[in-house]
Amino acid sequence: DWRKLLPGVWFHDPGLATTSGAESAITELDGENGILRYRGYPIEQLAEKSTFLEVSYLLLNGELPNQQQSDGWVNEITHHTYLHEKFRRKMYDSFHYDAHPMGLLCSNVAGLSTFYPDSKEIDDPANRMQQAVRLIAKMPTLATSAYRHSVGQPFVFPDNTLDYASNFLRMMFELGNPYEVDPAFQRAMEVLLILHADHEQNCSTTTARVVGSSHTDPYTAMSAACGALYGPRHGGANEAVLNMLDGIGSYENVEPFIEGVKAGNERLMGFGHRVYKNYDPRARIIKEAAHDVFAVTGTNPLLDIALKLEEAALSDEYFISRKLYPNVDFYSGLIYESMGFPRNMFTVLFAIGRMPGWLAHWDEMLDQDSRIARPRQLYTGEAERDYIAMSDR
Ligand code: CMC
């Protein structure tokens, strides 16, 4: 404990790049070697063999479920997907028709706290798990309600006979005729959600822990995490990547764009990471998953520009010397767009995937009886001075 070893000493570390704020047994990330493991299981194995709900159970409970536990868990999640009708109608109707779905999601996740006042009992682990079930179950319903509202389409109620990913896809896209879920889309959705499920102390997870450390309820803490995810440096990057690819427009413009990035005029979105100084293992898996989706939908015309951009960046001294590689967001947007998701839903998809990770960290933090997050600062303002009357200013 530094406070006892060096009383009165503290550290100045903007961006907390060299500060560990937590002890955690959830996710292991070795950025130098491109390794990512949830509870010890390599992300590659989970993406290939597991499901999103199984991974959610693993993150929250520490172990893979046996058959009975798995059946119980899936059943619980499946039966908490509905939103209170009053909440759904009134909350969504109160937003403008073109409201960004991420803005709706942040607000409505927080709004749920008013429906579940029992969630304030954060000292009770069983109660915490109950809220975790509700949040994971309701995320697709919240997300698709936001989308349907933004395009003026009637809301589609959850179907308890479907698996998590299929239910989500159906609530998104069913219109008029029954929606048949393509198995390639279902699997791609599972893989993408698994890849986003946790990433240790990233900006939004840290937010969940910091806000949770004040002992507020989980809906409010998770809403804060959604807010952190929204930004283009974090979960908003997937939307920004597609807008960037659109802006580049053609093959010939890739080189001038790279020059512009090197000159500091813009950022290469979907590239670089605070911790990965090697190829992001999630980007590798997503690149492969993209082919399965494109086999059904036909290729995304922006894929060629993305591949050329990656090739140009990976052979350029600027990116090599700074160890900048594609991250999870570089290719995910291309898949989402080919599946029919509008760009303003990309970060919402990230949020659905990240919810179990946020919850697992929040739960772990409360188990550890952690202290309230309250960093120090280096004060750089004025020294003491006397108040000046308005007439003398
Ligand atoms: N394009 C161009 N240059 C970059 C980029 C980029 N995307 N990322 C970092 N750099 C440069 C940066 O200018 C700096 O150069 P210099 O040493 O000359 O000043 C150097 O690389 C180190 O970068 P940094 O700013 O210290 O890196 P950071 O750890 O503070 O930021 C980041 C990490 C992810 C915010 C940043 O790489 C970035 O803005 N990337 C684009 C946005 C993006 O794709 N975000 C998604 C991250 S992965 C999904 C998630 O977890 O949210």
Side-chain angles (χ1 to χ4, degrees):
D1 187 335
W2 284 110
R3 282 168 302 144
K4 291 187 185 127
L5 278 173
L6 298 170
V9 172
W10 65 82
F11 302 92
H12 179 60
D13 182 13
L16 305 177
T18 57
T19 297
S20 160
E23 270 181 43
S24 181
I26 300 170
T27 287
E28 187 184 3
L29 205 179
D30 175 350
E32 291 299 327
N33 295 305
I35 287 171
L36 175 62
R37 302 183 189 122
Y38 298 161
R39 300 284 189 184
Y41 295 104
I43 191 66
E44 292 80 4
Q45 291 183 26
L46 294 170
E48 188 191 336
K49 298 180 180 156
S50 189
T51 63
F52 176 63
L53 286 192
E54 183 174 79
V55 165
S56 303
Y57 183 99
L58 172 69
L59 289 169
L60 279 156
N61 296 284
E63 297 296 337
L64 288 167
N66 62 28
Q67 190 64 55
Q68 195 190 359
Q69 290 164 329
S70 172
D71 292 347
W73 174 245
V74 172
N75 188 55
E76 276 280 290
I77 301 281
T78 308
H79 288 89
H80 283 88
T81 47
Y82 273 66
L83 298 173
H84 191 290
E85 262 307 274
K86 191 167 176 188
F87 176 84
R88 192 183 64 74
R89 285 168 191 264
K90 295 255 173 174
M91 285 295 274
Y92 286 89
D93 274 357
S94 64
F95 287 90
H96 204 45
Y97 72 93
D98 61 353
H100 195 291
M102 235 357 236
L104 267 73
L105 189 74
C106 296
S107 306
N108 292 339
V109 168
L112 281 178
S113 74
T114 63
F115 271 85
Y116 301 111
D118 60 316
S119 65
K120 292 191 192 314
E121 289 159 34
I122 51 130
D123 290 330
D124 174 6
N127 187 302
R128 295 207 297 265
M129 193 55 84
Q130 178 67 38
Q131 312 312 327
V133 165
R134 284 182 176 144
L135 273 158
I136 294 169
K138 291 184 201 311
M139 279 299 274
T141 323
L142 289 163
T144 52
S145 303
Y147 168 66
R148 292 269 171 174
H149 172 79
S150 70
V151 290
Q153 289 178 3
F155 176 66
V156 176
F157 286 100
D159 178 346
N160 288 353
T161 64
L162 294 177
D163 63 81
Y164 192 87
S166 302
N167 194 28
F168 170 57
L169 289 168
R170 182 184 149 270
M171 286 196 284
M172 246 334 264
F173 297 120
E174 185 164 277
L175 193 65
N177 300 317
Y179 179 77
E180 293 293 328
V181 182
D182 190 302
F185 282 21
Q186 193 276 347
R187 192 57 210 159
M189 206 62 250
E190 290 277 2
V191 171
L192 284 156
L193 291 174
I194 291 169
L195 295 182
H196 286 92
D198 194 40
H199 214 227
E200 48 119 305
Q201 313 302 323
N202 55 86
C203 180
S204 55
T205 304
T206 301
T207 302
R209 291 185 86 123
V210 167
V211 175
S213 79
S214 78
H215 286 187
T216 190
D217 70 86
Y219 299 95
T220 306
M222 296 307 122
S223 163
C226 281
L229 190 75
Y230 195 178
R233 285 174 162 187
H234 191 11
N238 49 19
E239 185 179 343
V241 167
L242 278 250
N243 294 336
M244 172 189 76
L245 294 174
D246 259 353
I248 295 173
S250 72
Y251 243 55
E252 306 77 64
N253 293 337
V254 167
E255 287 299 339
F257 178 81
I258 293 277
E259 291 310 314
V261 171
K262 286 158 63 176
N265 302 335
E266 41 218 331
R267 282 228 143 183
L268 178 47
M269 300 310 287
F271 254 70
H273 199 275
R274 172 63 59 79
V275 185
Y276 287 124
K277 301 301 169 198
N278 199 325
Y279 212 101
D280 181 340
R282 302 169 301 171
R284 204 186 304 276
I285 299 168
I286 288 185
K287 211 171 155 183
E288 281 168 25
H291 293 298
D292 298 337
V293 171
F294 296 156
V296 178
T297 61
T299 187
N300 187 315
L302 294 175
L303 177 66
D304 287 342
I305 297 178
L307 288 169
K308 171 103 171 126
L309 199 54
E310 181 187 342
E311 188 191 305
L314 291 183
S315 57
D316 191 294
E317 186 48 31
Y318 176 94
F319 297 90
I320 295 170
S321 63
R322 288 170 180 77
K323 299 188 175 173
L324 299 172
Y325 291 88
N327 59 50
V328 69
D329 290 316
F330 194 66
Y331 286 105
S332 61
L334 291 169
I335 307 187
Y336 295 146
E337 188 155 89
S338 292
M339 288 170 82
F341 288 102
R343 288 182 191 174
N344 61 11
M345 281 296 286
F346 293 179
T347 311
V348 174
L349 287 158
F350 195 150
I352 299 173
R354 186 55 56 88
M355 183 54 76
W358 290 334
L359 288 163
H361 283 270
W362 166 76
D363 188 66
E364 180 183 63
M365 179 215 37
L366 290 173
D367 261 347
Q368 291 166 342
D369 193 24
S370 66
R371 305 178 78 208
I372 189 168
R374 205 303 182 191
R376 307 302 293 245
Q377 68 162 12
L378 279 185
Y379 177 66
T380 59
E382 301 287 346
E384 184 183 358
R385 48 184 173 166
D386 288 328
Y387 182 79
I388 306 167
M390 183 70 83
S391 55
D392 296 337
R393 285 179 216 162

